[in-house]
Amino acid sequence: MAEIKLWGGRFAQKTAASVEEYTQSVSYDKNLYREDIEGSKAHAQVLAEQGVLTEDEAKTLVEGLDTVLGEIESGKFEWKKEMEDLHMNIESRLTEIVGAVGGKLHTGRSRNDQVALGFRLYVVRSLEAWKDVLEKLISVFTAKAEGHLGVLLPGYTHLQPAQPVSLAHHMLAYAWMFKRDHERVCDCIKRVNVSPLGAAALAGTTYPLNPSSVAEKLGMDGTFRNSLDAVSDRDFVMESLFTGSLIMTHLSRICEELIIWANPCFGFIKLPDAYSTGSSIMPQKKNPDVCELMRGKTGRVFGDLISMLTTVKGLPLAYNRDMQEDKEPFFDADKTVYASVSIMADMMEVMGFNAENMENALKKGFLNATELADYLVGKGIPFREAHHITGSAVAHAETAGKGLEDMTLAELKSFSDKIDEDVFEILSYEAAVRRRVSPGGTGPESVKSQIAELKVWLKK
Ligand code: ARG
């Protein structure tokens, strides 16, 4: 039985069953079958270009690989754990189909550069998908902003009412975060989409390979420069996992806000039925489970990143089998990041906002106190003194159970004789937002120009 292994030449005894199960990766790395076959086809073609194989041999290999691909896609392919990983499964089936020439495919190649190539191609595809779905999410936040230009709500610091902001401005804060995530994904792709094929096991090879031709055939942006680095580097995985972790962090923050906003004490949003769940015991409940799970899954994706960082940190050059542990964390994170971004986009698209509750919340918490202080500064009072005067007015209003805007002019004047009738205009929440004309502020001009800028970017 020892001879079933493609590497079995020097082995006299069979692998222990437990070891076979423990070391196999085919149960999950078979996900890479498309990329592995594409890489093998490019390798066979370049071997022929370079005169290492004949054109006929390469043609046979390429056709055989297409047959294997067809078998896998139609579900006919029989994956065997005793063949260890997908590479050996595919090569051994190829040899069954095309005969002895199948044994020539691996000329000048090692599984070490083979797996790095297939995995890089796979990660690039995942990142491309993240990019597309992030674009959708950014366009949803931008559209939500555009649809709610006039809606105001309390802006918070320390989760305490601070100053009024427009809902549009709040939505746009997330659009910009996700746009930076999109930029990070694009930047990451540049470094992932580099071919390591030709590094062979670790030292390069004696065959006259042409790595650039392989990269070109696969639509990759470049090739490795150092064979040891090419087979032992997994920073392309870690960088992608970090990028995914940051996307999840941003999602988790909006989830947290939506959970708070859905609480009846806030009542800022109406959770769409399709994106919430009920309780098995409390009939009145409508729970924000989607947001909670997304917040929860964020931790899982961080775990995937930490797992990879930890796996690699103690490894000497070059390839070590530990590196086989790179795939499952990425598959897990990939699935989670893609689904989370996509569901957030769909959920936000149908999210209903309760403008009235937002407006009512503005009246609780003296969100116009800064306006009064600024008004006093405008009348020549130093800011620190204006801050103090306003503080006393707030304390008085609080005891009286009303807002600053509900006090009479006489009441207000008792704190400073600089206060006149014109104070009431600046105490309006709408004015507080309108007057925030600084670049990037919540004022309508800034909000409109943010929307315009994002729309141009989305169109590109
Ligand atoms: N299944 C292995 C992995 O994913 C492929 C490379 C194995 N190379 C080796 N020399 N054992 O890392």
Side-chain angles (χ1 to χ4, degrees), residues 7 23-26 28-29 32 84-87 110-113 115 234 319-327:
W7 43 251
T23 56
Q24 67 82 27
S25 55
V26 66
Y28 53 86
D29 68 12
L32 305 175
E84 211 172 288
D85 57 22
L86 97 147
H87 316 295
S110 155
R111 271 186 296 159
N112 299 349
D113 57 345
V115 69
R234 288 294 179 272
Y319 178 83
N320 299 271
R321 190 65 180 274
D322 318 41
M323 287 156 71
Q324 183 169 290
E325 291 294 312
D326 59 357
K327 287 165 208 76

Side-chain angles (χ1 to χ4, degrees), residues 89-353:
N89 268 273
I90 290 175
E91 191 187 317
S92 94
R93 177 69 189 128
L94 173 70
T95 306
E96 275 172 21
I97 294 168
V98 302
V101 66
K104 294 196 176 188
L105 174 64
H106 214 48
T107 312
R109 185 174 75 165
S110 155
R111 271 186 296 159
N112 299 349
D113 57 345
Q114 181 182 359
V115 69
L117 173 65
F119 198 22
R120 278 174 179 272
L121 288 170
Y122 186 94
V123 173
V124 167
R125 279 185 192 153
S126 300
L127 295 177
E128 294 284 356
W130 294 7
K131 231 177 79 180
D132 292 347
V133 79
L134 277 169
E135 278 163 32
K136 162 116 199 270
L137 184 63
I138 296 162
S139 78
V140 168
F141 274 105
T142 307
K144 279 283 155 183
E146 201 166 23
H148 295 88
L149 288 170
V151 177
L152 308 187
L153 78 161
Y156 300 87
T157 62
H158 314 264
L159 198 53
Q160 302 300 315
Q163 290 173 352
V165 293
S166 73
L167 179 56
H169 196 52
H170 199 113
M171 292 293 106
L172 291 168
Y174 284 103
W176 292 113
M177 275 178 239
F178 292 119
K179 180 171 174 288
R180 287 194 299 279
D181 288 330
H182 185 278
E183 285 164 12
R184 261 183 287 273
V185 172
C186 294
D187 195 56
C188 193
I189 289 173
K190 285 191 250 161
R191 281 176 293 277
V192 183
N193 202 21
V194 170
S195 175
L197 204 75
L202 75 164
T205 165
T206 55
Y207 296 97
L209 299 185
N210 183 354
S212 303
S213 180
V214 170
E216 206 177 295
K217 286 184 171 51
L218 296 169
M220 300 181 90
D221 299 329
T223 60
F224 70 100
R225 288 293 183 276
N226 178 301
S227 60
L228 289 167
D229 180 36
V231 292
S232 63
D233 150 53
R234 288 294 179 272
D235 44 285
F236 72 91
V237 189
M238 295 181 262
E239 189 179 355
S240 304
L241 287 171
F242 170 73
T243 304
S245 297
L246 207 38
I247 293 170
M248 291 304 296
T249 300
H250 290 152
L251 287 173
S252 189
R253 292 191 79 173
I254 178 82
C255 285
E256 175 66 14
E257 295 207 305
L258 294 174
I259 292 164
I260 293 169
W261 288 3
N263 182 297
C265 297
F266 278 75
F268 289 2
I269 53 169
K270 295 182 273 266
L271 280 178
D273 282 357
Y275 295 89
S276 36
T277 55
S279 156
S280 56
I281 176 168
M282 297 165 283
Q284 86 282 13
K285 294 274 271 180
K286 189 165 169 189
N287 293 328
D289 295 38
V290 173
C291 296
E292 293 168 271
L293 272 170
M294 212 174 276
R295 193 176 55 181
K297 285 173 189 288
T298 300
R300 269 243 317 273
V301 175
F302 292 0
D304 294 326
L305 170 63
I306 295 299
S307 147
M308 264 317 286
L309 289 166
T310 312
T311 298
V312 175
K313 85 176 188 53
L315 299 183
L317 297 184
Y319 178 83
N320 299 271
R321 190 65 180 274
D322 318 41
M323 287 156 71
Q324 183 169 290
E325 291 294 312
D326 59 357
K327 287 165 208 76
E328 285 175 299
F330 184 78
F331 293 157
D332 180 63
D334 180 25
K335 190 172 121 219
T336 310
V337 170
Y338 184 86
S340 303
V341 176
S342 165
I343 289 173
M344 179 56 80
D346 293 345
M347 179 171 70
M348 282 310 288
E349 206 162 24
V350 293
M351 186 65 74
F353 293 97

